Amino acid sequence: MGMVLGFGFLQAACTPLLPFARGDEHAREMAELKLEEYFKRNYRLMTDEEKRETIQRLERLYELETGTRPEISMEGPRENVLYGYAFNISKCRGYLECVKACVQENNQDRSTDMRYIRIHEIPGSEFSMERADDSFYHEVPAEGHMYVGTQCFHCDNPPCVEVCPVQATWREEDGIVVVDYDWCIGCRYCQAACPYDGRRFNWKTPHIPEDEVNLNQHYLGNRLRKKGVMEKCTFCIQRTRQGRLPACVEACPTGARVFGNLLDPNSEIRWILENKKVFRLKEDLGTEPKFWYYMD
Amino acid sequence: MRTVGAFFRDALDNVTAGSLGYHLWMGFLTFLMLLGAYAYSVQLREGLIVTGMYDYVSWGLYISNFTFLVGVAAAALMLVLPTYVFQDTDFVRAVLFGEGMAVAALIMCLAFVVVDMGGPARLWHMIPIIGIFNWPRSMLTWDVIVLNVYLVINLTVPFYILYHHYQGRKPNPRVYLPGVVLSLFWAVGIHLVTAFLYAGLPARPFWNSSLLGPRFLASAFAAGPALMILILTVINRTTPYTITASTIQKLSLVVTGAAQVNLIMLVSEMFKEFYWPTEHSKSAIYLFFGLDGHSALVPWMWTSLGLTAVATAVLTVPALRRRRPVLLACSALLFVGIWIEKGMGLIVPGFVPEPWGRIFVEYSPTWVEWTVTLGIWALGAWVFTLLTKVAVGVELRYQQSH
C-alpha cells in the first residue's frame, strides 16, 4: 500500500514540477497553484481564510488557462431553510427543457453527454417505473404516455454519505447533499450505494466549449470538475443559496417542477405537501428523499 | 548469532540466483508487470474512460479480482489452523506457503483497489489526521483496516519463525501463537467485511443478502486451498523441498467440504430468486438467463456453474479424490469456476439493471483492464515466488542441521 501510495504521490508531485525547469512565467505560476491545490484540506475543515485562498487559486488557474475569470462563491446555508422538491406527473410532457437547462447551468461534460436529470416515459395511465423508458426519441408529448423525472433526491438519510470512505460527500444544513470534488478519491462506492441513480462520475476530463461555460459558480456546485471525481445535482446550490430557483424549475415550460423551503409554512412546496396526494419512490429503503411526486 | 541484516542479505543472494527456468519465470513475470504498468499509464493519462466501466456498471474487472483475492488470502486460515492449533505435523511443511499466498493475494488486493481509483494521487485523503478516515460508518474503511492488519500479521508471524530457523533456533510458540490465533479470526473477518461492503447496500438487491458473507467464506475456502494444492504440487516438483502426500490429501478434504457447502448455498440463493421471481430477482435472471435480449454473462455463469458442480461432484467421491491427476484437474476447475462466479457473476450483475430498471450497454472489459489485471496477477506471482524461494532456502538448511 505504502509503495503504491508513494508512487501516486511521486506522480502527482512531479508533474507540476516540470514547468519549473522552463522560464515560462505563466506555466510556473500555474504549477505553483496546482501544487498548493493538491495539499489543501477537505472543504468542511477549512477556515474561512483557507476557503478564500483556494477560491482565489481556482479562479486564477482558470484565468491563466482561458483568459476569463469565473466567480466562485462559498455562500453557506441560509438560516431556517430546508429545501424540498415536488414533481407533478400530470403536468410533465417530456420536453426535456429541464435537462438542457441543467446541463448548461451546471457545466456538465458535453463530450460524454452527462445529465443529472432523467425523464422516464411511461405508457398508459398506471404509474410503474418497471415499464418506464428514458431513451425515447420522438415528438412529445406522446399520446397516452406520462412522464416522470428523476435526479438526486437529496435524501435526509443518504446512503451515499454513509459509505464515502473520506467524507468527500455530505448533507449540508439546508438539506443539500454536496460533493467536495477536490477531496473525492474516485472509488465510486457512493454510486453503488445510491438507489436512485443520482450520481455521475467523470470517466475522463470533462469538456465544455469555452463560450458555454457558466462563470457564476459555487465551490460545492457547478465549478469545473476534473477527471476521476463524482458529481451530482446540488439543487443548483449556486442559485438557491442566493434565493433563486434551480435551473430545471425555471426552465420547465409546464410548471411541473416545484422547489422551496420545507420550513416555511407559506411556501408553495408546503402547500403541495399538505393539499395534494403525494408519494415518494423506493420509500421502503428508509432513505427519506426530499423529492415528492404528485398529480392533479 | 546471525543478524537481521544478514538474513536479508542472504535472502537477496538466494532470490537473485537460481536455475535457468527460475530466471525465465521471473523474467516472464517482470515482462507482464511492465505491460500492466504501460496499460495503467494509459489509464492514468486518459482517465477510467479507457476501461469498459461506465455510470451504470461502475465497478468491473478490478473490483471483481479484488473480491476474489480477498478470499484467496483468507484461505490461509485452512493451513494455519491445523498447523499451529491442532499441531498437525502434516501441515507444518506447507503452512509457510499458505501465509506467503496470503501476502501475495493481499498485495494484489491493494493493487486492484488502487488501480480502480479515479484519483489515486489523492489517496492520502484516507490517512487519519492528515486526511479523513470515515470509520466506523463506511464499510470501505473497515476493509482498509482489516486487509492491512491481516497483511502485517501474515508478514510478521512467518518472518519470526523463518528468522529463528535461519539462526538455527526453535521459534518460541508463546511469541507467535497469539499472532496465529489472531490471524484465524482475522481471516474470517477480512472476507466477511468485504462481503458486508456489498451486502450493506439496499440499493442493490442482488448483493443485499444475508448469505453473501457466508457464501464468500465457503467459496474462498474452496478456491484458496485448491490453488494451494496446485502450488504445493509445483513446489514439490521444482524444489528439493518435499510436501507429503498426506498434506495434499488433507487439503483436498478441506476443498471438498467447502465446495459442497458453497454449492448448497448457491442452490439456496437460486431457489429464492427463481421460485418466485420479484422485481429484485432481475439481476439473477440477467445473470443466468439474460434479460431483455441482453445475455453477455449467461455463457460465463453456466460455465462457472458447470465447472464448480462437476469438480465438487468428482471430489465428493473418495476414490477419485485420492488420484493425484484427478485432484489437480478438479482443483483447477474449481479455482477457475469460482473466479468467474466471484467476478463476472457477482460484481457486474449487481449493477444490472440500473436502479430504474433499464439495461444500457453490457459491460465488457477493455484491453487496458485485461492488461492491468494480468500485470497485477504477475505481481502477485512474482511476490509469491520470492517469498517461497527465501522460505525454501531457509527451511532446507534448518532441516539439514536438525
Side-chain angles (χ1 to χ4, degrees):
Chain A
M1 189 79 187
M3 210 176 82
V4 183
L5 267 179
F7 213 79
F9 275 140
L10 205 67
Q11 195 244 345
C14 294
T15 322
L17 293 179
L18 293 173
F20 287 109
R22 304 203 305 262
D24 184 344
E25 207 44 52
H26 258 206
R28 201 193 179 89
E29 188 186 350
M30 273 174 85
E32 277 169 14
L33 290 173
K34 277 183 180 163
L35 203 60
E36 283 171 31
E37 274 295 288
Y38 177 73
F39 289 108
K40 74 183 181 187
R41 295 199 291 172
N42 182 303
Y43 186 72
R44 273 191 301 178
L45 299 178
M46 288 184 195
T47 58
D48 280 356
E49 184 51 33
E50 285 174 316
K51 286 181 186 175
R52 266 191 294 278
E53 281 169 4
T54 181
I55 280 168
Q56 284 284 328
R57 284 195 300 263
L58 289 165
E59 289 178 351
R60 178 67 184 146
L61 269 171
Y62 188 72
E63 190 177 30
L64 286 169
E65 269 167 47
T66 64
T68 48
R69 196 176 174 108
E71 185 79 36
I72 303 176
S73 146
M74 49 183 239
E75 187 82 37
R78 309 180 142 215
E79 284 286 301
N80 298 318
V81 166
L82 184 66
Y83 291 118
Y85 206 114
F87 186 100
N88 188 339
I89 56 176
S90 6
K91 276 199 177 147
C92 179
R93 294 275 172 273
Y95 294 136
L96 303 189
E97 292 295 326
C98 50
V99 174
K100 207 157 69 182
C102 174
V103 168
Q104 279 166 355
E105 167 70 32
N106 290 300
N107 294 325
Q108 285 165 59
D109 178 32
R110 310 294 202 271
S111 61
T112 56
D113 204 15
M114 189 190 286
R115 300 166 170 198
Y116 296 161
I117 302 175
R118 286 171 68 184
I119 302 291
H120 309 261
E121 184 181 64
I122 305 176
S125 58
E126 186 195 355
F127 183 92
S128 141
M129 290 306 280
E130 174 71 344
R131 292 179 294 112
D133 169 31
D134 72 330
S135 62
F136 57 91
Y137 191 75
H138 51 67
E139 198 176 319
V140 289
E143 191 58 41
H145 287 75
M146 76 173 113
Y147 296 88
V148 177
T150 56
Q151 58 206 69
C152 168
F153 289 167
H154 296 275
C155 303
D156 249 22
N157 184 20
C160 52
V161 169
E162 197 86 344
V163 302
C164 176
V166 293
Q167 292 185 6
T169 184
W170 64 88
R171 180 186 169 283
E172 289 269 283
E173 283 297 295
D174 49 9
I176 302 179
V177 177
V178 293
V179 179
D180 180 343
Y181 310 118
D182 294 332
W183 195 254
C184 170
I185 56 174
C187 73
R188 309 188 293 293
Y189 198 10
C190 57
Q191 202 165 23
C194 176
Y196 304 111
D197 181 36
R199 294 182 158 253
R200 299 286 173 267
F201 188 67
N202 286 288
W203 300 93
K204 58 185 280 290
T205 304
H207 169 77
I208 306 134
E210 239 168 82
D211 55 342
E212 289 179 33
V213 172
N214 178 359
L215 294 172
N216 280 323
Q217 298 170 6
H218 191 289
Y219 191 92
L220 300 171
N222 59 344
R223 72 183 168 101
L224 297 170
R225 275 80 67 187
K226 53 190 168 212
K227 71 167 187 272
V229 302
M230 210 42 94
E231 60 177 273
K232 61 194 277 300
C233 154
T234 60
F235 277 165
C236 282
I237 197 166
Q238 62 283 350
R239 296 166 67 107
T240 44
R241 286 210 175 154
Q242 292 169 355
R244 297 165 65 201
L245 287 171
C248 51
V249 177
E250 236 169 56
C252 179
T254 63
R257 293 171 171 269
V258 175
F259 176 84
N261 180 5
L262 295 167
L263 302 181
D264 172 6
N266 304 316
S267 63
E268 190 185 355
I269 182 110
R270 274 286 285 274
W271 186 88
I272 286 166
L273 295 183
E274 285 157 22
N275 296 288
K276 296 279 186 185
K277 301 280 178 276
V278 300
F279 64 93
R280 293 186 286 182
L281 293 177
K282 299 193 190 179
E283 266 202 307
D284 50 326
L285 301 182
T287 51
E288 298 293 331
K290 287 197 294 298
F291 199 102
W292 288 265
Y293 294 89
Y294 69 104
M295 57 207 100
D296 292 329
Chain B
M1 194 50 87
R2 285 176 299 189
T3 58
V4 175
F7 176 91
F8 282 107
R9 266 195 307 279
D10 282 358
L12 192 67
D13 287 346
N14 175 357
V15 297
T16 47
S19 64
L20 177 65
Y22 168 75
H23 282 298
L24 281 174
W25 167 243
M26 292 305 266
F28 170 68
L29 292 178
T30 308
F31 170 71
L32 290 183
M33 280 192 273
L34 288 171
L35 271 186
Y38 167 70
Y40 185 53
S41 75
V42 171
Q43 184 186 300
L44 276 178
R45 197 179 58 235
E46 305 292 328
L48 286 160
I49 190 88
V50 297
T51 68
M53 294 182 278
Y54 61 112
D55 272 338
Y56 297 105
V57 179
S58 48
W59 282 336
L61 195 61
Y62 296 153
I63 294 296
S64 302
N65 276 286
F66 156 77
T67 309
F68 175 76
L69 284 163
V70 169
V72 173
L77 162 90
M78 286 300 172
L79 289 153
V80 173
L81 183 72
T83 311
Y84 299 117
V85 182
F86 302 152
Q87 306 286 324
D88 185 323
T89 47
D90 275 340
F91 279 89
V92 170
R93 304 181 60 76
V95 67
L96 283 171
F97 305 123
E99 285 158 334
M101 188 174 82
V103 170
L106 286 165
I107 286 171
M108 285 191 262
C109 282
L110 295 171
F112 273 118
V113 170
V114 171
V115 298
D116 190 65
M117 292 289 147
R122 292 190 293 278
L123 270 172
W124 66 267
H125 293 174
M126 265 188 129
I127 301 168
I129 301 156
I130 60 165
I132 301 177
F133 194 61
N134 191 11
W135 187 84
R137 298 269 21 123
S138 170
M139 283 319 296
L140 205 57
T141 53
W142 281 86
D143 220 15
V144 169
I145 294 171
V146 293
L147 287 173
N148 281 295
V149 170
Y150 193 63
L151 180 60
V152 170
I153 297 174
N154 275 292
L155 279 171
T156 48
V157 170
F159 176 75
Y160 173 82
I161 290 169
L162 266 185
Y163 182 56
H164 274 71
H165 285 181
Y166 172 76
Q167 294 179 322
R169 296 187 298 162
K170 263 188 104 66
N172 179 0
R174 288 172 58 183
V175 174
Y176 67 78
L177 263 183
V180 166
V181 173
L182 184 64
S183 87
L184 298 177
F185 291 99
W186 219 269
V188 175
I190 60 168
H191 220 20
L192 274 186
V193 167
T194 307
F196 291 169
L197 202 126
Y198 304 106
L201 302 179
R204 313 282 170 185
F206 186 70
W207 296 334
N208 193 11
S209 143
S210 333
L211 197 54
L212 199 71
R215 243 194 91 191
F216 267 32
L217 287 171
S219 63
F221 293 152
L227 179 63
M228 208 63 238
I229 288 175
L230 297 171
I231 289 173
L232 289 175
T233 308
V234 172
I235 290 172
N236 209 13
R237 292 201 185 149
T238 56
T239 69
Y241 195 82
T242 48
I243 305 286
T244 56
S246 60
T247 309
I248 303 267
Q249 209 51 259
K250 284 179 178 168
L251 264 181
S252 73
L253 276 177
V254 172
V255 173
T256 309
Q260 289 164 342
V261 173
N262 182 45
L263 217 51
I264 292 167
M265 290 183 180
L266 181 67
V267 171
S268 309
E269 288 220 307
M270 285 177 74
F271 173 80
K272 177 235 161 189
E273 301 285 22
F274 298 126
Y275 179 73
W276 191 275
T278 66
E279 181 73 12
H280 289 174
S281 310
K282 283 196 157 177
S283 300
I285 294 170
Y286 167 72
L287 175 62
F288 284 96
F289 303 107
L291 191 63
D292 305 338
H294 298 276
S295 57
L297 294 186
V298 176
W300 285 100
M301 195 57 211
W302 287 102
T303 305
S304 159
L305 206 58
L307 294 176
T308 317
V310 167
T312 310
V314 172
L315 286 174
T316 306
V317 183
L320 290 172
R321 192 171 61 230
R322 281 194 205 100
R323 297 175 60 171
R324 189 56 61 88
V326 176
L327 177 63
L328 292 180
C330 283
S331 298
L333 292 186
L334 205 55
F335 183 80
V336 173
I338 290 172
W339 181 79
I340 295 172
E341 186 240 322
K342 276 284 159 294
M344 292 291 176
L346 178 84
I347 305 301
V348 177
F351 290 105
V352 182
E354 55 82 39
W356 299 122
R358 188 174 158 196
I359 300 183
F360 287 78
V361 202
E362 287 189 276
Y363 168 76
S364 81
T366 58
W367 73 267
V368 171
E369 279 172 284
W370 283 117
T371 314
V372 169
T373 300
L374 199 64
I376 293 176
W377 274 91
L379 168 74
W382 188 83
V383 167
F384 181 80
T385 311
L386 289 186
L387 295 174
T388 305
K389 199 156 187 315
V390 172
V392 165
V394 171
E395 288 298 296
L396 283 175
R397 216 171 52 181
Y398 179 69
Q399 281 160 16
Q400 279 156 12
S401 60
H402 283 71

